[in-house]
Amino acid sequence: MNREEKNLNTKTKIMESAVKEFASHGYEAASLNVISEKGGISKGIIYHYFASKEDLYLACIRECFSDLTDYLKKNVKETETDDILTDYFAVRTEYFKNNSERAKLFFGSVLYPPDFLQNKIREERKEFDQLNRNMMKKIIQQNPVRKDISQKEIIEAFEIFQNLLNAGFRNVIGGRADIVKHEKSCRAALNIFLYGIVRREK
């Protein structure tokens, strides 16, 4: 094994241990000592690869959002509007079920981000957020929308709506994130956002 492979293996080992710790305890309560002990890596080695606990946490967040985004790109089908929405949430839920540690990390960063890291987390999830915007644009393009509302305004409203939904869900569940319940709630709320609640008679 050459030096580059050894460095990659060591870094991967650190990240795997860190993801478990951050997923289980969140940023504030997570411990570098536990990451070191459970990963079988000295604390000095962790600091060799990551400048701080914050740096390690953001690396885990980056990897989590990148992996989820790649999975969605590969598995969400390009179909009719309602199917796009249904398929998107089905694929997302499937990913979370098969990647429980990353799921916890994802929901921790979305629902309970450390206040001082919110802007940095937002940077790490840019590609994921763009994927969601693109999905919304496809839905807009495939449906008749009001002529007095621009696509830009709809996307901005959608992002505000998402933030409000997450804040409301956080208040309802307290400190425990039920992934399946969250995904069902998001799917139902987005459906209402898109199609409304009032049936209009012709």
Side-chain angles (χ1 to χ4, degrees):
M1 182 184 296
N2 61 37
R3 182 184 294 273
E4 187 176 346
E5 289 173 331
K6 187 177 180 181
N7 286 341
L8 181 60
N9 285 345
T10 302
K11 196 170 182 179
T12 299
K13 218 173 163 187
I14 295 169
M15 292 276 288
E16 286 174 351
S17 182
V19 165
K20 290 178 182 177
E21 178 67 2
F22 288 127
S24 297
H25 302 289
Y27 176 81
E28 298 293 350
S31 164
L32 288 183
N33 288 330
V34 173
I35 293 170
S36 169
E37 181 184 341
K38 291 191 175 179
I41 307 155
S42 73
K43 205 169 175 181
I45 291 293
I46 293 176
Y47 281 118
H48 175 75
Y49 290 95
F50 301 95
S52 62
K53 177 181 172 181
E54 176 184 322
D55 187 35
L56 177 55
Y57 175 74
L58 290 172
C60 291
I61 293 296
R62 186 182 312 122
E63 193 272 341
C64 173
F65 275 99
S66 177
D67 192 60
L68 170 60
T69 303
D70 288 344
Y71 187 85
L72 289 168
K73 284 180 177 179
K74 290 175 184 175
N75 293 283
V76 176
K77 300 169 186 174
E78 301 286 333
T79 55
E80 294 299 319
T81 300
D82 191 53
D83 287 336
I84 288 176
L85 203 56
T86 301
D87 194 39
Y88 173 82
F89 278 99
V91 171
R92 219 170 88 150
T93 302
E94 179 183 37
Y95 176 87
F96 290 142
K97 285 181 177 179
N98 293 332
N99 298 273
S100 59
E101 299 297 341
R102 285 177 181 164
K104 290 176 187 175
L105 189 63
F106 172 89
F107 283 99
S109 69
V110 169
L111 297 177
Y112 317 105
D115 289 340
F116 73 102
L117 287 179
Q118 286 193 38
N119 289 336
K120 290 183 178 180
I121 291 172
R122 199 171 294 117
E123 284 296 310
E124 301 299 347
R125 55 176 287 178
K126 267 186 173 181
E127 189 181 1
F128 172 76
D129 289 336
Q130 187 58 51
L131 179 75
N132 288 336
R133 287 188 202 103
N134 290 342
M135 180 189 70
M136 181 58 62
K137 286 176 183 177
K138 286 176 186 175
I139 292 172
I140 293 168
Q141 289 164 1
Q142 294 175 8
N143 281 277
V145 296
R146 286 169 48 185
K147 293 180 180 179
D148 60 325
I149 305 177
S150 68
Q151 184 181 94
K152 183 174 180 290
E153 288 173 321
I154 295 172
I155 298 298
E156 288 175 351
F158 163 65
E159 290 176 348
I160 291 170
F161 182 76
Q162 273 189 314
N163 291 334
L164 289 171
L165 181 64
N166 284 330
F169 196 79
R170 180 173 60 243
N171 291 334
V172 168
I173 66 174
R176 295 169 298 180
D178 183 324
I179 294 169
V180 174
K181 185 177 179 181
H182 178 273
E183 292 300 278
K184 285 182 178 178
S185 295
C186 282
R187 171 67 181 85
L190 186 53
N191 187 62
I192 292 171
F193 173 82
L194 287 167
Y195 306 114
I197 60 171
V198 177
R199 184 177 67 186
R200 298 183 183 277
E201 301 293 346
K202 291 184 179 180

